[in-house]
Amino acid sequence: MTTAVTGPVVTYGGRRPHALALVRTGLSEIWSRRRLARYLIAAELHKKGSDTLLGNVWWIMDPLLQMGVYVLFVSLVVGRAGTTADYPLFVFAAILPWKWFSSAVNDAILSVVARERIIKQVHFPKIILPVTATVSGVVNFAFGLVPLLLLMIAFYRERIAWTLVLIPLIAVVQLVFTLGLAIVLAAINVFYRDVGNVARHVLRLWFYLSPALYSAEQVSKLAGDLPWVATVFGLNPFSVLFQAYQAVIYHGTQPAWGALGILLVASLGLLVACMYVFQRVERAFAKVL
Amino acid sequence: MDDYSPPVDAPGGIAAPARPAHVRSGRATDLAIDAHGIGVRYNLRFTKKTTVRQSFAHLLRRREGPQHFWALRGVTFQVEHGESLAVIGPNGAGKSTLLQVLAGIIEPSEGQVEIRGHVSSLLTLGAGFDAELSGVDNILLAGAFMGIPDREMRRRLPEIVEFADIGAFIDAPLKTYSSGMRARLGFSIATAVDPDVLLVDEVLSTGDQAFRDKSRRRIEELIQAAKGIVLVTHDMGWVTTFCNRALLLERGQIIAEGDPAEVVAVHTDHMEQVRIEKEAEAARLRLQGVL
């Protein structure tokens, strides 16, 4: 026996691992490359901040300006803002998580194809890419809480309640749900480059079909004697999430824990399935890109 | 896969030895790379930048033409530690695909490859660079992509910066670098990692003359440090100077393997043949144009 060989022995090719093993590999790869994930997130934030004149100030300004647009739109065009008290806060409670979700999905879709060159040059777990794209949105979301608090302190002091501390719990459910979607869409986009275009429109439609600018009660009232409408409406994950955010921010009440729990379990299932799909097609990325 | 035999219809050249050097020495553990019947199949339905519309079009024309092609087929070879193998061949022969398989970037569709030791690929330099980040950040990011522990990367940082010779620019964003500086940085990152197996693809002629000499010395050092090296190049001077074995790939198959000078001769021969055929074809077309 000679001792010339140091380091690991790696074998490529051979039999395919089964489904659960693939998911487990994915998880351990993310964990073992957390340093890479951290660098990628830092790079992402650095770029988003330093590219613009106002830098990080935009993270705070953005949701405020968007809220202004929606409030103007609804009160001038639809003329319904009067029916909901403190409407700007109501809208803001949904805009904040939605901005995180939509930009995370959009970033994640491009995350793999944007790294085309390094994917063809270096062997690393590609699943890191959509995961970091999603997770780096958490920082933006956290920054968005600053204008939320400012808004509440300035105009809606009577609505400040202890339930605000529940926001991170709802955010965890949203993160799990977003991760699943982000991972699978990033993989599909490698094979079909129009996922980004489709997603943009689907996301817009999704936002308007979710109780962000209107409340869920208004929907069930409108649905009247068609109870299935409200049921279908309630199956939308963002119906659950927006109502939860509105509960803790706007109403100062506890969210519907049951619905959130179901959504969390379903999202975990979705995440595992999406990780499986990603890990399964990952080996083809370098060939297709 | 033990019954694999090299392509019999290899046009001319030296027959590839069925069992290579390590069997003679009887020390299989000395192998840095053990590739066995590697085949890489590309699916033509998913080539570059497909959209759903194109896929439907493909679906309709399903039975037209081949659905896939083999970029590599039945490639078997071994590289011992301390050996340096040159892979040569015409464009599109599968040289880069082979390196990608060795680097673990592409999973072989058939066959197996076993690699002992840490692999570093000098494929194309600076692939993972981020123009917005500083040189230091890029070094750390590249290390993270390659899976090198952060502590080790930070320890090697001065050495890398030293070798790349980019001075105060190391803290400036990469977008302010000249292409030569980028190439130098890429080279020093890839070679500073002290790999057991180094994969090099046509990068040796980057930068100015001074850096070329320096990188040449660095490669020499790496070879002398008894690391396994696989070098893909069009520079036949490199093949004969630095490699103790060469492998000629044509259309995804090993055509010849053995002494660098001999394999290079076969390759030059084939290239000359192709050139003559092309010229004859061109002449024929010209003639047709006249008539």
Side-chain angles (χ1 to χ4, degrees), chain B residues 150-280:
Chain B
D150 199 59
R151 208 175 331 116
E152 183 164 340
M153 211 57 203
R154 284 181 193 275
R155 191 171 56 76
R156 290 178 186 276
L157 198 59
E159 188 191 329
I160 295 171
V161 174
E162 223 307 292
F163 193 85
D165 193 23
I166 39 187
F169 269 94
I170 199 67
D171 287 315
L174 211 79
K175 57 186 172 192
T176 60
Y177 286 31
S178 71
S179 55
M181 289 160 82
R182 280 178 193 231
R184 291 208 299 274
L185 187 60
F187 184 91
S188 27
I189 292 173
T191 52
V193 290
D194 196 21
D196 299 311
V197 179
L198 181 68
L199 310 170
V200 193
D201 189 359
E202 291 282 16
V203 286
L204 302 162
S205 53
T206 48
D208 53 15
Q209 189 57 48
F211 189 75
R212 269 212 288 275
D213 295 343
K214 209 162 105 178
S215 54
R216 199 182 170 97
R217 276 198 301 280
R218 174 83 204 182
I219 296 275
E220 281 173 310
E221 270 172 40
L222 283 170
I223 294 171
Q224 270 145 27
K227 316 274 183 191
I229 291 196
V230 177
L231 170 71
V232 163
T233 182
H234 285 289
D235 186 338
M236 295 306 144
W238 273 92
V239 177
T240 44
T241 319
F242 290 115
C243 300
N244 50 17
R245 209 147 55 85
L247 200 129
L248 174 59
L249 272 187
E250 274 178 27
R251 280 178 241 100
Q253 299 194 322
I254 298 180
I255 299 295
E257 184 183 357
D259 177 64
E262 290 175 43
V263 176
V264 165
V266 175
H267 176 55
T268 331
D269 232 44
H270 284 194
M271 292 304 273
E272 184 63 17
Q273 234 171 324
V274 170
R275 199 182 58 79
I276 290 169
E277 273 165 27
K278 266 197 188 139
E279 257 170 30

Side-chain angles (χ1 to χ4, degrees), chain A residues 1-243:
Chain A
M1 234 12 217
T2 51
T3 49
V5 178
T6 51
V9 179
V10 206
T11 309
Y12 303 119
R15 69 249 162 267
R16 294 196 159 184
H18 63 90
L20 266 178
L22 271 179
V23 174
R24 211 176 323 123
T25 324
L27 286 173
S28 70
E29 278 175 347
I30 295 173
W31 177 247
S32 66
R33 293 301 193 97
R34 55 196 185 279
R35 175 75 63 171
L36 174 60
R38 205 186 310 163
Y39 279 142
L40 285 173
I41 291 171
E44 188 76 10
L45 297 178
H46 174 78
K47 266 185 280 181
K48 275 188 181 151
S50 64
D51 273 7
T52 50
L53 195 61
L54 290 174
N56 302 353
V57 177
W58 276 121
W59 296 358
I60 295 170
M61 292 291 289
D62 232 37
L64 281 175
L65 290 172
Q66 207 171 339
M67 176 201 73
V69 170
Y70 282 126
V71 169
L72 260 178
F73 169 74
V74 172
S75 41
L76 290 182
V77 182
V78 189
R80 292 193 56 94
T83 55
T84 312
D86 299 336
Y87 187 65
L89 184 66
F90 181 84
V91 172
F92 201 83
I95 285 179
L96 213 52
W98 183 260
K99 267 191 72 68
W100 169 26
F101 175 71
S102 61
S103 63
V105 168
N106 281 323
D107 291 352
I109 285 173
L110 293 175
S111 64
V112 174
V113 290
R115 294 279 176 183
E116 176 183 343
R117 287 197 61 206
I118 189 127
I119 286 172
K120 285 165 135 173
Q121 308 291 334
V122 179
H123 173 61
F124 69 99
K126 267 67 83 178
I127 198 161
I128 286 275
L129 299 173
V131 168
T132 52
T134 309
V135 173
S136 67
V138 175
V139 179
N140 293 25
F141 180 71
F143 264 86
L145 295 176
V146 174
L148 173 71
L149 287 179
L150 292 178
L151 196 72
M152 293 189 85
I153 291 169
F155 301 108
Y156 309 107
R157 213 164 297 171
E158 72 286 355
R159 285 197 182 265
I160 297 176
W162 70 271
T163 51
L164 284 175
V165 302
L166 296 174
I167 292 176
L169 284 184
I170 307 169
V172 167
V173 180
Q174 183 182 341
L175 177 65
V176 176
F177 176 68
T178 313
L179 270 177
L181 273 188
I183 287 171
V184 80
L185 290 178
I188 297 173
N189 193 48
V190 174
F191 300 95
Y192 299 106
R193 295 302 174 97
D194 32 21
V195 172
N197 293 327
V198 176
R200 251 205 319 281
H201 296 287
V202 170
L203 281 173
R204 187 168 304 161
L205 192 66
W206 194 348
F207 180 72
Y208 290 123
L209 287 177
S210 308
L213 304 178
Y214 48 87
S215 67
E217 291 82 63
Q218 285 170 310
V219 174
S220 37
K221 225 181 287 169
L222 274 177
D225 42 35
L226 291 172
W228 61 269
V229 173
T231 311
V232 169
F233 191 79
L235 286 176
N236 174 0
F238 267 93
S239 180
V240 176
L241 287 170
F242 282 161
Q243 286 186 66

